[in-house]
Amino acid sequence: MGETDVGESVKSITKKENFIQLRAEGLSFEKISRELNVSKKTLINWSRDFECDIQNMKSLRLDMLRERYLRDIEQRLKIYCKFQEKIEKELLSRDLKDLSTDKLYRIFDQNESKISEGFNVFFKGEEPFYGLGKARLIEWPI
């Protein structure tokens, strides 16, 4: 195998890896074709050849998004809980005859609702269904 053949082989592997990445990101064959300068027919063949790799890459991307989503929810819940603790402390220090206590109770209830909502979170997504080419929508609690 000559030096040129090795170089072309490396370029081909790199294009295929880029194809898998771009396809997993949801880009169309048309856009990928323009970006990689590869015919759509070749891309369709690669799509069949690398179907599992593309699906695995999609799953990894979804996992990363799911983790980020969960971290965001956790951060918000922490903030709501700290805020709730401050309100509770303030309520305990106040005289219940004070007019602004009603407003504070409303804020307390609203904040408590936000905390409760945070514990009733469901993640929706598609579960790949291999063999029939269909995916079904699933819901699972976080």
Side-chain angles (χ1 to χ4, degrees), residues 52-137:
C52 284
D53 295 313
I54 294 167
Q55 186 59 45
N56 287 340
M57 184 70 70
K58 282 181 182 179
S59 294
L60 287 173
R61 290 173 49 79
L62 281 175
D63 254 3
M64 288 176 11
L65 288 172
R66 194 175 300 122
E67 282 181 32
R68 188 178 313 144
Y69 178 72
L70 290 173
R71 278 193 309 270
D72 289 348
I73 288 174
E74 185 178 355
Q75 287 301 104
R76 280 186 300 217
L77 282 173
K78 284 180 182 178
I79 291 169
Y80 291 145
C81 288
K82 283 181 183 179
F83 186 60
Q84 192 72 359
E85 287 171 6
K86 287 181 179 182
I87 294 170
E88 286 176 11
K89 186 176 179 179
E90 181 62 26
L91 278 171
L92 291 173
S93 73
R94 289 196 175 196
D95 182 0
L96 295 178
K97 295 176 186 172
D98 190 5
L99 182 62
S100 60
T101 303
D102 289 339
K103 186 174 182 179
L104 202 50
Y105 271 119
R106 266 190 308 238
I107 294 169
F108 178 86
D109 287 338
Q110 289 169 355
N111 196 53
E112 198 167 56
S113 294
K114 288 180 184 179
I115 292 171
S116 295
E117 288 170 16
F119 289 109
N120 295 321
V121 176
F122 284 84
F123 188 84
K124 291 184 181 184
E126 284 189 359
E127 177 183 63
F129 191 69
Y130 298 104
L132 299 178
K134 293 183 178 182
R136 62 187 176 118
L137 188 62

Side-chain angles (χ1 to χ4, degrees), residues 15 50 69:
K15 281 189 178 187
F50 300 111
Y69 178 72

